[in-house]
Amino acid sequence: MATYVSLVDVDDRDVQNAQELSSLWGETRTEFEAHEADVIDSYAILGGHDFLVLFEAPDRESAFKSALTLRRHGLSAETMEITHTDDFAHLVDEV
């Protein structure tokens, strides 16, 4: 499975309280699973984005569907495929 990260912003969503936002992550996780993707972890972050969601998906189609789940919930996200630095080092060694 490939690993992906989504940098998420809640700008487009009117969040009334922390509990509402917490329940949103539960719904999102369930919908990711419906697309055969597994949420590995999520973090609240300081800086240019509000949250980081780390997930695995079996293929690019599943990753796209999972990323669109965030948008459907009124969250804007930038999603990209990532590679662990150890795996990247092996790729560089092969070149």
Side-chain angles (χ1 to χ4, degrees):
M1 279 220 246
T3 305
Y4 297 85
V5 63
S6 291
L7 298 170
V8 180
D9 297 314
V10 293
D11 298 339
D12 297 345
R13 183 177 172 85
D14 182 27
V15 177
Q16 299 298 320
N17 58 49
Q19 278 186 320
E20 180 184 343
L21 193 55
S22 179
S23 69
L24 171 69
W25 291 123
E27 292 172 25
T28 302
R29 186 178 295 265
T30 300
E31 291 180 35
F32 270 52
E33 290 169 359
H35 299 303
E36 300 178 9
D38 296 316
V39 175
I40 299 168
D41 222 338
S42 59
Y43 302 89
I45 56 177
L46 295 173
H49 300 282
D50 300 312
F51 296 94
L52 180 145
V53 178
L54 189 63
F55 68 97
E56 291 181 330
D59 53 40
R60 193 168 273 161
E61 180 179 332
S62 179
F64 272 113
K65 288 178 180 178
S66 297
L68 289 172
T69 293
L70 297 169
R71 172 51 79 189
R72 201 173 67 245
H73 283 281
L75 302 168
S76 56
E78 179 181 356
T79 302
M80 56 207 108
E81 186 174 354
I82 60 173
T83 300
H84 194 278
T85 52
D86 290 341
D87 295 333
F88 180 74
H90 291 293
L91 292 173
V92 172
D93 289 341
E94 293 175 5
V95 175

